[in-house]
Amino acid sequence: MYDAPTPETRLTQNTLKITARGVQVYYGDKQALKDVNVDILDNTVTAFIGPSGCGKSTFLRCLNRMNDTVASARVEGEIMLDGENIYDKRVDPVQLRAKVGMVFQKPNPFPKSIYDNVSYGPKIHGLTRSKAELDQVVEDSLRKAALWNEVKDRLNEAGTGLSGGQQQRLCIARAIATSPEVLLMDEPCSALDPIATAQVEELIDELRASFSVVIVTHSMQQAARVSQKTAFFHLGSLVEYGDTSHIFTNPSDPRTESYITGRIG
Amino acid sequence: MPILLLIIVLGVLAIAGFILGRRRALASVEGNTRRLHSLPNYYAWHGAIMAFLPAMAVLTLWLIAQPLIIERQLSDFFPAEQFENDSQRILLMADVRRVAEGLDVAVAAGALSNDDAANISADGTIRDRLATVGVALGADVTAQVLEASQAYRKLAATGAFWRSIVALIIAVAGLFYALRITNGDFRARNRVEAVILGVLVLASTIAILTTVGIVLSMLSETIRFASMYPFKDFLFGLTWQPSFQGNSELGLLPLLWGTLYISLVAMIVAVPTGLFTAIYLAEYASPRVRSIVKPLIEVIAGIPTVVFGLFALVTVGPFLRDWFAVPTGLGSSGSSVMTAGLVIGVLNIPFISSLADDIINAVPQSLRDGSYGLGATKSETVRQVILPAALPGIVGAILLAASRAIGETMIVTMGAGAAAKLDLNPFEAMTTITVKIVSQLTGDTEFNSPETLVAFALGMTLFVITLGLNIFALWVVRKYREQYE
């Protein structure tokens, strides 16, 4: 009787994946994030919402140390992935990013073939031992990204030749081909039309089975649709964090309520 | 009216057109600019353009056409056989022009009255009298030349008179036309836009026409060369031994070999160094380092090649000879392929690095983020994402550098010597096509022997080589391009 747990029970069983404590981010002299504390669960979709410039993308980029590529950025505080501080000196950001994959706002396929785009990660990390295995990884990733049926006959064509929605799903396939543990998505649907958005959202829900997904979005409907946990950021601070159903129906902070009802933001 | 004065007058008319056009446009709408189709300044510019451009165009055509017409008219003064030969005609016309201009100068300086100038005789005095006003005549003036130059003076004076009249009439007509059609509904903005388009098209045509002109002139001389010297021997000859007494051997291959060998050495030095410099500057260097290093590297590009030549001659050549060539027994010459190649390579480093740096910077940041986000290191990102995306531009930069290496003359003259040789030893003195073009054309030579005309054939060869390189590069780019966006 308990062999097939319902989503609700699975949610309660979820373990902690990422814990952030006292995270502060500075760009030069300007403070972009103030004292953020968040617990992100495994096998859960966590949405970051908030008005533009509130720091949600900045925080997302802290989770895989993409801020390292910005020369003026400085991160303080502690972010633990599976109990290990990712800002520890011994952690190699390159290894970290293989574990914490990222999908960007604008689809950014490499100017290579569809196959080469997806096999890029597995190749540089040496995840496969043979061409057949690599083929299998590419196919699985494209299937998981719901793109396989559309591109299986033209794997050698340029990834940049696909439509916008297909390109974004290709980028998702590329990210999951490295078999990450966490998938970060920075407004993945903002450049897509409603149909492509619906496809990507459906995909996000399926990805939850294998990864912890963190998504930044401007659309509150999207956050409500796809996430189980929601964090609301405002002016560089984390205002409220909790179950999505709770945040959207009964927010405890007046700023959250104002944002959700459309009075600020 | 002298040309300069005429142009100044046209300029004044243009300014008048500018002011009047604006005023008339404003008057036609009683000062309410919102009722004008275009901004007032467009009407002003339209007035100026209509006054200046057509007159200027006619003036330019006139200046080109007048000497040709006068030359044809003067053919009556000389025996036909003198005028048939190209070089003789050019010399004669130069004499005529010089005497005519000398007389004009003398009249202007007050040394001769107008009548004196018209009646001056062809005896020895004309040289002395012109010499007093600073005009030196080369040969004695024959009666024919003097007669012709008197006619030339007359024709030129008439031409100049009508030239000014026609230009002024057109300018004034253009000005009135512009003012007549100027009113609130006239689309001056569109008209000015069309003129701007015309100027841009003209500018791009000039470069193309120049190239066509150069090719055609070289082609005709090359064909003349081919009629004097067997072209097959030129293309496949293994010896280069020009001799102005005749019996020259003008084989291209030693020069071609020298050119390609030196360029190859240069590119082996310049491409990796330049490319790595660009990658370091674009991807690794901090903004501070970049702002110091980039201008420093570009200083090299500003050094005249003759200074590089000195460097090759005095420093690099002896160094290579004493430390490499002599100890290994490969040669004893300071001038060598290696010397010239190394120095040309260094000269080309900033060229490649600067261009490639710009191209790498133009690759969108999103591609880098995508690669880093998948856990790629910097060098993996550079190798697998950035360089493929920047490939077309980089190939272009390399090609430009290769063309410069192939065309380089000064450094080769000073660093590689002038001996045309077919040899594999890089420490042997060799020479290139460009050096030989210079040496065949310098000195007192006439363009009618194969020894001088071969320079044009050599120039044509260079042109074909660089053209071939360009086509090859286009093919490479099209085949391997990974286009972003």
Side-chain angles (χ1 to χ4, degrees), chain A residues 189 196-206 222 225-226:
Chain A
C189 300
T197 302
Q199 285 168 330
V200 171
E201 282 180 7
E202 200 177 322
L203 182 57
I204 291 171
D205 201 50
E206 285 163 17
Q222 186 173 59
R225 280 195 300 266
V226 302

Side-chain angles (χ1 to χ4, degrees), chain A:
Chain A
M1 188 174 178
Y2 292 103
D3 283 347
T6 60
E8 285 72 25
T9 55
R10 216 169 63 192
L11 195 64
T12 55
Q13 289 168 358
N14 283 344
T15 49
L16 270 180
K17 191 69 189 170
I18 299 175
T19 45
R21 290 290 172 267
V23 176
Q24 325 249 5
V25 179
Y26 300 85
Y27 289 120
D29 295 334
K30 205 178 134 276
Q31 188 166 14
L33 267 189
K34 293 167 203 148
D35 201 23
V36 173
N37 302 296
V38 175
D39 293 326
I40 290 166
L41 302 178
D42 207 1
N43 299 105
T44 308
V45 177
T46 308
F48 291 172
I49 59 170
S52 293
C54 66
K56 55 194 188 303
S57 288
T58 300
F59 184 64
L60 191 77
R61 290 168 67 93
C62 288
L63 299 181
N64 69 343
R65 293 187 61 174
M66 276 303 274
N67 282 330
D68 289 14
T69 62
V70 181
S72 64
R74 193 157 50 84
V75 180
E76 286 172 8
E78 194 172 68
I79 297 176
M80 314 288 277
L81 174 68
D82 292 332
E84 203 184 344
N85 186 1
I86 63 171
Y87 279 90
D88 192 283
K89 278 195 182 62
R90 282 166 305 179
V91 171
D92 178 6
V94 169
Q95 288 296 318
L96 171 71
R97 288 181 202 135
K99 266 199 271 182
V100 185
M102 188 158 193
V103 175
F104 296 83
Q105 184 171 359
K106 229 181 98 194
N108 58 349
F110 299 134
K112 299 176 178 296
S113 71
I114 293 168
Y115 183 93
D116 287 344
N117 260 287
V118 181
S119 63
Y120 185 83
K123 264 189 195 160
I124 56 174
H125 295 298
L127 300 182
T128 55
R129 268 162 303 175
S130 66
K131 176 84 169 78
E133 208 179 329
L134 187 62
D135 288 349
Q136 194 56 47
V137 169
V138 170
E139 183 180 336
D140 289 348
S141 308
L142 285 169
R143 275 189 199 283
K144 272 190 207 152
L147 192 62
W148 176 252
N149 286 332
E150 289 159 67
V151 301
K152 64 180 177 213
D153 299 324
R154 45 179 179 143
L155 288 175
N156 289 319
E157 282 173 34
T160 40
L162 298 173
S163 75
Q166 288 174 325
Q167 285 190 13
Q168 193 62 304
R169 278 179 284 151
L170 177 62
C171 292
I172 293 172
R174 188 176 71 183
I176 57 190
T178 7
S179 40
E181 297 164 20
V182 181
L183 193 58
L184 309 178
M185 299 179 134
D186 190 354
E187 297 180 42
C189 300
S190 66
L192 304 183
D193 68 22
I195 295 171
T197 302
Q199 285 168 330
V200 171
E201 282 180 7
E202 200 177 322
L203 182 57
I204 291 171
D205 201 50
E206 285 163 17
L207 293 176
R208 180 160 69 91
S210 355
F211 317 107
S212 164
V213 179
V214 185
I215 177 171
V216 163
T217 177
H218 265 130
S219 154
M220 281 169 284
Q221 289 87 342
Q222 186 173 59
R225 280 195 300 266
V226 302
S227 71
Q228 290 80 50
K229 290 275 194 181
T230 297
F232 171 62
F233 286 78
H234 187 55
L235 299 177
S237 312
L238 176 67
V239 175
E240 192 169 350
Y241 175 56
D243 288 346
T244 301
S245 52
H246 181 74
I247 294 258
F248 278 94
T249 53
N250 191 14
S252 43
D253 194 288
R255 285 172 294 176
T256 315
E257 194 188 355
S258 302
Y259 183 71
I260 287 167
T261 53
R263 264 175 294 167
I264 58 167

